[in-house]
Amino acid sequence: MSPAMFPLPLVLLACTAALCGRLPPVMVVQPHHFPPESQEDGDEAPPLVLPHPVQHLSHYFYSAPTQSSNHGHHQSHANSVRVFYQVGNSEEDLPECAPWAVCSKVDRYDAPWVERQCRCKGQTHCSKALDASDGHTLTDKTRQYKLCEPIKKLPKCRFFRDITWTLRSYPDNATEQVVHCHCPKTSVAYLIQRQVYETRHGVGYQYSFACSPQSRLRCQRKEPCRLFTVRKRPEVDEVNTNTLCQCPHNHRCPRHHTHAGVIAGKSYTDEAIRTYSGYCI
């Protein structure tokens, strides 16, 4: 089935227990400018969660440059940022990055935290910057993906056609995210294909993502403008958002699941997940 003909419901899909039982989630929803499929009460499945292993926690100090209002000078503030490792508990334990693989993921939904994925080859280092202006960062909503290579060398993706990145999970619970092109500005990545493959060590999964323009539809009365999926973990709350529509003039959509205008939704105890709906205020 071609990407353009792939069904694009808003409904969140369930993951299998074998895949997601031990893994923190990355919520993935399909592009929101298509109408949702109907679903009977009691049949709703927990959000689709993708492998996002975080095993060990350390504390790094990053210097995050900020623009000063006085004479345009830059000031650096050292912030304690939580750093997780998908393999082992130090830089030395990480595997070497494949070409165009994501070496770090930065979550900026709330207090920033970093997930280290792999080590860049040779003398190249994975960027420790917490902003996206380092020339090695792709941004998708509240997440930043750091690459060893400069992103200016990446081609631009075509909507619905090109695969922007693939996320592969291995039987040992490790993951690898490889970027193929960058989404145009004001667009979002969505899951377009899942493939299962077998190795001598067990079953693995590969997820492919394409680009979609953000919705420009106006929100209807009593229609949520943004969905939040929150998973409670010992160290951090992992939050994923999906914008559904644009609020009318003089209204705004909540940007955080604790803000006014947000109503708690379904809870999925087994996955420690709770969903929230934000409404225009």
Side-chain angles (χ1 to χ4, degrees):
M1 184 177 295
S2 67
M5 297 299 294
F6 195 87
L8 304 173
L10 172 64
V11 177
L12 307 185
L13 305 176
C15 65
T16 63
L19 171 62
C20 302
R22 296 178 294 127
L23 302 175
V26 178
M27 183 187 73
V28 175
V29 297
Q30 308 298 353
H32 42 261
H33 52 282
F34 289 85
E37 292 181 349
S38 61
Q39 198 167 27
E40 297 295 332
D41 292 341
D43 292 335
E44 185 173 351
L48 170 64
V49 292
L50 299 183
H52 193 60
V54 176
Q55 298 179 351
H56 296 90
L57 171 65
S58 180
H59 288 279
Y60 270 35
F61 284 87
Y62 285 74
S63 181
T66 57
Q67 182 75 32
S68 171
S69 59
N70 296 325
H71 308 294
H73 294 301
H74 286 79
Q75 297 178 340
S76 295
H77 304 278
N79 297 308
S80 179
V81 176
R82 287 164 291 189
V83 176
F84 300 88
Y85 297 92
Q86 72 152 328
V87 176
N89 54 16
S90 69
E91 293 293 309
E92 291 73 22
D93 296 328
L94 293 172
E96 192 174 77
C97 295
W100 297 105
V102 172
C103 54
S104 283
K105 300 177 184 179
V106 180
D107 190 294
R108 297 299 304 266
Y109 175 79
D110 216 327
W113 53 273
V114 177
E115 179 188 309
R116 292 286 290 114
Q117 297 288 292
C118 57
R119 290 181 291 107
C120 297
K121 293 182 179 180
Q123 300 300 313
T124 305
H125 297 284
C126 190
S127 174
K128 293 184 177 181
L130 293 182
D131 58 50
S133 60
D134 54 11
H136 292 263
T137 302
L138 296 177
T139 301
D140 184 54
K141 291 179 282 193
T142 60
R143 284 198 176 90
Q144 298 175 6
Y145 299 113
K146 305 289 184 179
L147 303 178
C148 304
E149 298 86 354
I151 60 171
K152 65 181 181 181
K153 294 184 178 180
L154 283 171
K156 183 185 292 187
C157 306
R158 295 170 297 175
F159 287 137
F160 309 119
R161 293 181 177 273
D162 297 329
I163 301 300
T164 179
W165 65 67
T166 52
L167 177 63
R168 174 169 283 208
S169 68
Y170 296 97
D172 63 356
N173 208 31
T175 64
E176 181 182 55
Q177 182 175 349
V178 177
V179 179
H180 308 289
C181 59
H182 68 87
C183 289
K185 291 183 178 180
T186 68
S187 63
V188 293
Y190 71 97
L191 180 65
I192 194 171
Q193 185 180 46
R194 189 191 81 156
Q195 296 173 298
V196 181
Y197 65 93
E198 292 188 5
T199 71
R200 60 193 180 110
H201 301 293
V203 175
Y205 299 85
Q206 179 171 297
Y207 302 87
S208 299
F209 292 76
C211 307
S212 167
Q214 290 185 348
S215 173
R216 296 184 179 275
L217 296 176
R218 288 293 182 184
C219 300
Q220 301 300 311
R221 186 171 178 267
K222 296 184 178 181
E223 178 185 14
C225 55
R226 182 169 288 127
L227 299 180
F228 304 85
T229 297
V230 181
R231 179 166 187 175
K232 292 284 185 181
R233 289 171 34 201
E235 300 88 2
V236 294
D237 285 349
E238 190 163 8
V239 183
N240 294 273
T241 65
N242 185 58
T243 301
L244 306 179
C245 55
Q246 302 297 317
C247 290
H249 183 62
N250 290 331
H251 291 72
R252 61 180 179 84
C253 189
R255 303 188 65 87
H256 198 281
H257 69 283
T258 63
H259 289 173
V262 177
I263 299 175
K266 293 276 188 178
S267 292
Y268 305 96
T269 306
D270 292 344
E271 302 290 341
I273 292 173
R274 183 154 197 177
T275 61
Y276 297 81
S277 297
Y279 293 84
C280 300
I281 56 175

